[in-house]
Amino acid sequence: MSPRARRKLAAKVAAAAAAVAITLTGCGGGSQQASSDGTVTLRFSWWGSDVRHKMTQKLIDAFEAENPTIKVKGEYGDWSGYWDKLATQVASQDAPDIIQMDAAYLGEYAERGALLELKDVDLGKFDPAVADAGKVEGKQYAVTAGVNAQVVLANPSLLTASGVTLPDDKTWTWDEYNKTAASITEGSKSGVYGSGAVSGDAPMNLWFRQHGKSLFTSDGKFGFDEGDLTGWYEYQAELRDSKAVPPASVMTEDATASVDQQGLATNRFGLAWYWSNQLSALTKASGQPLEIHRPPSTDGNAASAKQFYKSSQFWSASSRTKHPAEVQKFIDFLANNVEAGEIALADRGIPGNSEVRAAVLPKLTPEDAATAKFIDEISSELGDSVPVPPAGSSSAVEAFGRYGVEVHFNRMSPAEAAKKAMDEAKSALG
């Protein structure tokens, strides 16, 4: 995510933090009471594309067909305005009953009492790490809507044109990634680069995990120090100097573009780092078959690469809902019902429920099937689950990204950038 986007994200988190604090005072909530005939109406908010809106309405219709006394009213929009609207709703004690949640905000809302503990949603068919991804301080405040993993996507046509063959993704190292991407840049036509940016918090976390550290710890602290961050920025400088990645000005512009206008989608990057569920959309945008690969490891051994599953989104609920039983019944339907899985397929990521995943696999597009296969293939290569980011984490991550850009512009040394980034990040985390 770009520095600009990180700053906007941090501002929204701050607004959300102030808003959810208000929920600790006052009483009542925004949910509708049951009607005279016993029918309950729930409000359900989510973000996404028009395709997702239509698909989610089909999920609502299927649930209502099985549960005629529960009605679900959809409230949806795009990502850019979603969190400001939610913060306002929470502040005015009018939060939706069911909330599509993101990991960046889960800790903020849960720690301030705005979310319902989901005690009655069955997670028995979820991988423990996937189930635990929705826990904050040991309590289940969210349920994974879909499973992702960090991947390197490759455009074979650009690699062929550059005369470069990718190393085996089970054995390639960060150094080999740099050299391979630099070779693609060197062997390609003007305007084509070996790799897009490798500077997001997910690649950074993989780097730390492979060095025995982590971005955050389970108790809400940083799991690395200034020296570790210097090492990460030194790798950014190596990518810069080898021309494995585009100039900083190109990378920052690319980061603010929509996904279908980014370098991989427009056939300007040979390699790029994305979440696995983005393969289908990027393939469609590029008009080229794209390949899915593991990220590199420190020692050339995928078994020690410390990969992790990420929840693409979560299902959460307002702590102020008047209908906690019905809310959890709906979330259980979304998470565990095979019919729901066959409607949603992989739009929000690969289903977390193993039985639902097996049922939808034959119905997936080739790209989504490849993603599902990849998710299963790396199951034996996973490290520990990634803790929910603590309050203030968005501002901290924004600082890490912003100073990484300073390294790419060569306006700061890795050591200078690491010192300033850590000072800012520590202040953000409190």
Side-chain angles (χ1 to χ4, degrees), residues 6-21 83-84 87 104-105 108-109 112 391-395:
R6 283 289 182 202
R7 286 193 289 273
K8 290 174 68 177
L9 179 61
K12 291 174 184 177
V13 171
V20 294
W83 300 103
D84 288 332
Y105 296 94
E108 297 278 355
Y109 279 101
R112 289 170 173 81
S393 61
S394 296
S395 295

Side-chain angles (χ1 to χ4, degrees), residues 404-423:
V405 171
E406 291 298 299
V407 171
H408 277 280
F409 272 114
N410 209 9
R411 294 192 291 234
M412 285 186 182
S413 71
E416 290 171 332
K419 184 181 188 310
K420 289 185 176 294
M422 285 302 295
D423 288 345

Side-chain angles (χ1 to χ4, degrees), residues 77-127:
D78 60 26
W79 169 269
S80 62
Y82 182 85
W83 300 103
D84 288 332
K85 180 180 179 181
L86 181 62
T88 300
Q89 289 174 320
V90 171
S92 60
Q93 302 176 22
D94 190 36
D97 297 274
I98 305 106
I99 303 166
Q100 184 174 301
M101 179 58 63
D102 186 82
Y105 296 94
L106 178 56
E108 297 278 355
Y109 279 101
E111 290 174 16
R112 289 170 173 81
L115 300 181
L116 178 71
E117 186 177 0
L118 304 175
K119 297 180 179 179
D120 298 328
V121 178
D122 182 10
L123 298 179
K125 297 296 183 181
F126 279 58
D127 180 274

Side-chain angles (χ1 to χ4, degrees), residues 4 49 57 62 84 88 115 117 120-121 132 159-160 237 255 268 279 318 338 343 347 361 399:
R4 177 184 174 189
S49 64
Q57 186 58 53
D84 288 332
T88 300
L115 300 181
E117 186 177 0
D120 298 328
V121 178
D132 290 348
L159 269 62
T160 298
R268 293 179 293 120
L279 173 62
S318 170
V338 170
I343 293 171
D347 177 79
L361 187 59

Side-chain angles (χ1 to χ4, degrees), residues 185-199:
T185 302
E186 183 178 4
S188 299
K189 296 178 181 179
S190 177
V192 173
Y193 299 96
S195 172
V198 192
S199 54

Side-chain angles (χ1 to χ4, degrees), residues 116-320:
L116 178 71
E117 186 177 0
L118 304 175
K119 297 180 179 179
D120 298 328
V121 178
D122 182 10
L123 298 179
K125 297 296 183 181
F126 279 58
D127 180 274
V130 176
D132 290 348
K135 288 184 176 179
V136 179
E137 296 183 355
K139 295 183 178 180
Q140 197 81 45
Y141 288 112
V143 172
T144 293
V147 179
N148 274 338
Q150 183 74 178
V151 298
V152 174
L153 298 182
N155 185 322
S157 66
L158 293 183
L159 269 62
T160 298
S162 70
V164 175
T165 300
L166 287 187
D168 184 344
D169 71 344
K170 291 184 179 180
T171 60
W172 66 345
T173 65
W174 293 88
D175 184 56
E176 284 180 303
Y177 183 90
N178 179 16
K179 292 178 179 177
T180 300
S183 296
I184 297 170
T185 302
E186 183 178 4
S188 299
K189 296 178 181 179
S190 177
V192 173
Y193 299 96
S195 172
V198 192
S199 54
D201 54 302
M204 183 169 69
N205 198 13
L206 270 177
W207 171 278
F208 287 152
R209 286 160 66 88
Q210 292 175 20
H211 285 82
K213 305 297 176 69
S214 63
L215 185 54
F216 299 110
T217 62
S218 58
D219 59 354
K221 307 296 183 183
F222 292 121
F224 64 98
D225 58 26
E226 186 178 318
D228 301 313
L229 185 57
T230 299
W232 172 245
Y233 286 157
E234 287 173 345
Y235 184 68
Q236 298 302 310
E238 291 172 9
L239 293 169
R240 176 199 67 201
D241 293 343
S242 71
K243 296 183 171 54
V245 297
S249 59
V250 175
M251 286 198 298
T252 53
E253 182 180 351
D254 189 75
T256 60
S258 60
V259 171
D260 63 351
Q261 292 300 313
Q262 290 176 350
L264 188 72
T266 55
N267 301 309
R268 293 179 293 120
F269 297 168
L271 305 170
W273 293 61
Y274 281 96
W275 293 108
S276 55
N277 73 318
Q278 295 174 290
L279 173 62
S280 183
L282 286 160
T283 299
K284 181 178 179 181
S286 70
Q288 302 284 337
L290 302 178
E291 296 176 346
I292 189 167
H293 295 279
R294 293 168 174 80
S297 60
T298 303
D299 61 359
N301 182 2
S304 60
K306 305 296 182 182
Q307 257 281 33
F308 58 91
Y309 287 150
K310 176 188 180 292
S311 297
S312 52
Q313 293 107 32
F314 293 97
W315 305 126
S316 289
S318 170
S319 60
R320 305 182 68 80

